[in-house]
Amino acid sequence: MSPTVAAIVDLLALLCLLAGALLCLLAAIGLLRFPDLLSRMHAATKPQVLGVLLVLFGVALGLRSVPALGMIALAGVFQLITAPVASQMMSRAAARTDQIDMQTGEDIKD
């Protein structure tokens, strides 16, 4: 790989890492700032999953190693599978225990 191509790939890796870290930070801030359960679950899954995938893609670009790519891809697939399922199960548990109003989607205050 020529030095110019390697520099471009390193720059792309850096940009992916920074964008992923920013999305993970925004997801964490959303978990702290959003008022109700459903909003927090959205912040916990959507930007966090994309942020982790961007970080993994940036690591894969930086490493340029075929054996490491398998592990990185496996971690990304598990992230894509587990986070939405966990969010759905939390919302289901909240609805079944009458923690949220199913018509409005807001938390029920005691």
Side-chain angles (χ1 to χ4, degrees), residues 31-50:
L31 282 173
L32 295 174
R33 301 280 313 226
F34 285 149
D36 60 343
L37 175 73
L38 298 177
S39 299
R40 287 183 183 145
M41 284 186 336
H42 179 77
T45 55
K46 304 277 186 201
Q48 189 268 338
V49 169
L50 181 60

Side-chain angles (χ1 to χ4, degrees), residues 38 100-107:
L38 298 177
I100 56 174
D101 183 13
M102 292 307 292
Q103 277 74 32
T104 63
E106 295 180 4
D107 290 346

Side-chain angles (χ1 to χ4, degrees), residues 5-90:
V5 174
I8 291 172
V9 171
D10 286 341
L11 181 64
L12 284 174
L14 175 67
L15 291 176
C16 286
L17 287 170
L18 288 176
L22 180 66
L23 278 172
C24 290
L25 175 67
L26 291 175
I29 291 171
L31 282 173
L32 295 174
R33 301 280 313 226
F34 285 149
D36 60 343
L37 175 73
L38 298 177
S39 299
R40 287 183 183 145
M41 284 186 336
H42 179 77
T45 55
K46 304 277 186 201
Q48 189 268 338
V49 169
L50 181 60
V52 168
L53 290 177
L54 281 171
V55 167
L56 289 174
F57 186 66
V59 168
L61 285 175
L63 287 179
R64 297 183 195 101
S65 169
V66 175
L69 290 179
M71 285 298 221
I72 291 171
L74 193 60
V77 167
F78 284 149
Q79 185 69 28
L80 282 171
I81 292 171
T82 57
V85 171
S87 175
Q88 194 271 338
M89 295 307 288
M90 285 189 305

